[in-house]
């Protein structure tokens, strides 16, 4: 895997795309969510959390880009290797758990709007976010407390996370419990909760809607479909292959790590599509985004009008220039006509 040229090319290309799209996209989203969403609800707080984690990942991705482009050779030290690696997993599992919370919040708001009003408050959203990060940092202690760099002497490179020391965990059973727990508790269970919530939301909307439906109902259905696509496309391949690779590696001495590395790019792509989640889920975000687009359209239209006027003026001026080339008499007549006008 360390000498696989497909990884040398594919990962830097995808990570570069994610960086270029995620940083401006999530920066604009964060600006809209914080300064142009009134009031700040629990749902908006959860979306702000997504934007912050996506931005943090995108800022650190250039180190991974350089690492893989240089043949999987890490030159930035063990501390930064640990930070970048932990951020990868915090972003992936933090996104999964936050989307789960958004789905639960929307489920309670639509199915039990009155009964759930006590629980759908900002302080509970903030508390849930803090609990998520506390849980993630506790679960990832084995990685946080281990030097994740490894010198491969015969290749003359130093890897970051791609070669893990057996000493990170006491034995094979501990390794199996660690990886399988990540899969079940940080991916599978949150995914099931998210799917169940959105399926029940759709059923409720269908039951209460009229024959043609409304814009709100269509947006909720679009949101449910979008979230399911994100889970299937961005998170399922990576987590499923990680589970398969772990079982095969620990008990059958084989490996699918190259496939796992390639599917890591899909989990990073979620940071590019999260702004669309904000658009479907948040009315204030949707209105402000449309307002910004309308302002841009008006600016382009005004620019086109000014450009047309400028073009006409330049055409008239070019006529004067042609008159100048024909001699002083024509220039005098042209200026005289301009003065009369």
């Amino acid at each position: 895997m360390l000498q696989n040229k497909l990884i040398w090319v594919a990962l830097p290309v995808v990570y570069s795309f994610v960086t270029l799209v995620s940083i401006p996209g999530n920066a604009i989203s964060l600006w809209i969510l914080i300064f142009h969403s009134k009031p700040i609800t629990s749902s908006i707080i959860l979306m702000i959390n997504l934007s912050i984690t996506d931005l943090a990942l995108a800022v650190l991705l250039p180190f991974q880009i350089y690492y893989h482009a240089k043949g999987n050779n890490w030159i930035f030290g063990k501390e930064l290797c640990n930070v970048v690696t932990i951020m990868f997993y915090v972003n992936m599992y933090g996104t999964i758990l936050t989307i789960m919370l958004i789905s639960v919040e929307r489920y309670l708001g639509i199915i039990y709007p009155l009964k759930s009003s006590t629980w759908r408050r900002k302080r509970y959203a903030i508390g849930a976010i803090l609990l998520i990060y506390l849980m993630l940092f506790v679960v990832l202690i084995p990685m946080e407390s281990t030097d994740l760099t490894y010198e491969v002497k015969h290749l003359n490179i130093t890897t970051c996370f791609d070669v893990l020391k057996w000493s990170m965990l006491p034995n094979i059973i501990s390794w199996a419990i660690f990886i399988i727990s990540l899969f079940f508790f940080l991916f599978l269970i949150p995914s099931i909760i998210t799917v169940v919530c959105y399926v029940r939301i759709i059923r409720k909307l269908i039951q209460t809607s009229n024959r043609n439906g409304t814009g709100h109902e269509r947006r909720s259905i679009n949101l449910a479909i979008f979230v399911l696509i994100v889970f299937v496309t961005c998170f399922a391949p990576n987590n499923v292959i990680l589970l398969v690779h772990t079982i095969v590696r620990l008990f059958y001495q084989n490996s699918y790590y190259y496939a796992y590395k390639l599917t890591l790019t899909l989990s990073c792509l979620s940071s590019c599509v999260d702004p669309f989640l904000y658009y479907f889920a948040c009315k204030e975000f949707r209105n402000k985004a449309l307002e910004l687009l309308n302002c841009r359209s008006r600016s382009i239209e005004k620019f086109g009008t000014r450009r047309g006027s400028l073009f006409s003026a330049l055409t008239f001026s070019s006529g004067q220039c042609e008159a100048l080339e024909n001699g002083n008499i024509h220039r005098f007549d042209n200026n005289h006509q301009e003065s009369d006008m």
Side-chain angles (χ1 to χ4, degrees):
M1 190 284 300
L2 295 176
Q3 295 178 295
N4 190 324
K5 294 184 179 181
L6 175 62
I7 289 179
W8 294 0
V9 175
L11 269 64
V13 168
V14 177
Y15 289 161
S16 297
F17 171 79
V18 171
T19 301
L20 294 174
V21 174
S22 179
I23 290 179
N26 283 285
I28 294 173
S29 299
L30 197 59
W31 174 67
I32 293 177
L33 291 170
I34 294 177
F35 298 106
H36 297 281
S37 298
K38 303 297 180 182
I40 300 294
T41 62
S42 58
S43 180
I44 290 177
I45 289 175
L46 295 173
M47 296 174 194
I48 290 173
N49 173 59
L50 278 183
S51 284
I52 293 174
T53 57
D54 288 341
L55 273 176
L57 176 66
V59 169
L60 293 174
L61 276 181
F63 296 105
Q64 283 283 340
I65 294 170
Y66 185 89
Y67 166 64
H68 291 296
K70 291 298 181 179
N72 301 311
N73 186 31
W74 184 263
I75 64 171
F76 303 107
K78 62 180 182 180
E79 290 80 9
L80 191 55
C81 172
N82 281 43
V83 170
V84 172
T85 302
I86 297 301
M87 192 63 230
F88 252 87
Y89 286 92
V90 168
N91 172 264
M92 179 170 62
Y93 293 123
T95 298
I96 292 172
L97 293 171
T98 303
I99 291 178
M100 179 195 72
L101 291 178
I102 292 174
S103 68
V104 172
E105 195 271 346
R106 292 183 65 81
Y107 169 77
L108 294 175
I110 292 176
I111 308 298
Y112 306 106
L114 297 179
K115 294 181 180 180
S116 65
S117 59
T118 303
W119 297 100
R120 295 168 56 237
R121 294 182 178 180
K122 291 185 288 185
R123 63 173 178 266
Y124 292 123
I126 295 173
I129 291 171
L130 294 177
L131 184 62
I132 284 176
Y133 288 118
L134 177 62
M135 179 181 66
L136 289 177
F137 285 117
V138 169
V139 169
L140 297 175
I141 282 178
M143 295 168 57
E144 298 162 2
S145 58
T146 303
D147 179 6
L148 298 179
T149 61
Y150 186 84
E151 185 180 0
V152 185
K153 294 182 179 180
H154 66 282
L155 295 179
N156 196 28
I157 61 174
T158 299
T159 63
C160 175
F161 188 68
D162 287 331
V163 180
L164 291 179
K165 303 176 180 69
W166 280 109
S167 58
M168 190 177 106
L169 290 167
N171 49 52
I172 289 180
I173 300 301
S174 299
W175 277 95
I177 292 174
F178 177 66
I179 301 298
I180 293 174
S181 297
L182 292 180
F183 176 82
F184 277 96
F185 294 106
L186 298 183
F187 168 71
L188 186 61
I189 294 177
S191 299
I192 292 174
I193 293 174
T194 301
V195 171
V196 170
C197 284
Y198 279 118
V199 168
R200 295 203 62 182
I201 287 172
I202 292 174
R203 288 178 58 188
K204 180 67 175 180
L205 291 174
I206 292 175
Q207 291 173 0
T208 59
S209 65
N210 55 36
R211 185 172 183 179
N212 296 324
T214 64
H216 172 74
E217 290 148 359
R218 286 194 297 271
R219 282 191 298 270
S220 294
I221 294 174
N222 290 336
L223 173 62
I225 295 173
F226 178 77
V227 171
L228 294 178
I229 291 174
V230 169
F231 268 98
V232 172
T233 305
C234 296
F235 300 124
N238 178 256
N239 283 275
V240 171
I241 290 179
L242 176 61
L243 180 65
V244 173
H245 163 72
T246 301
I247 295 173
V248 171
R249 178 70 182 89
L250 294 178
F251 302 107
Y252 299 98
Q253 305 303 315
N254 207 335
S255 175
Y256 292 101
Y257 190 71
Y258 67 94
Y260 168 73
K261 288 292 291 186
L262 291 174
T263 55
L264 267 179
T265 59
L266 295 176
S267 65
C268 291
L269 286 175
S270 67
S271 64
C272 297
V273 299
D274 281 342
F276 294 98
L277 172 65
Y278 314 146
Y279 181 86
F280 285 127
C282 178
K283 180 180 179 181
E284 292 81 4
F285 184 94
R286 189 162 54 249
N287 291 340
K288 188 60 184 179
L290 292 174
E291 180 183 331
L292 290 174
L293 289 175
N294 289 334
C295 289
R296 179 175 176 81
S297 298
R298 288 195 295 269
S299 298
I300 294 174
E301 184 178 351
K302 290 179 181 179
F303 175 75
T305 304
R306 290 196 301 270
R307 186 183 179 193
S309 301
L310 181 62
F311 179 77
S312 300
L314 289 174
T315 303
F316 180 75
S317 299
S318 64
Q320 289 182 317
C321 292
E322 291 175 359
L324 284 171
E325 291 177 358
N326 290 329
N328 292 330
I329 296 176
H330 294 283
R331 179 179 60 184
F332 172 81
D333 291 340
N334 196 23
N335 290 337
H336 181 66
Q337 290 177 354
E338 185 179 7
S339 299
D340 289 343
M341 290 172 65

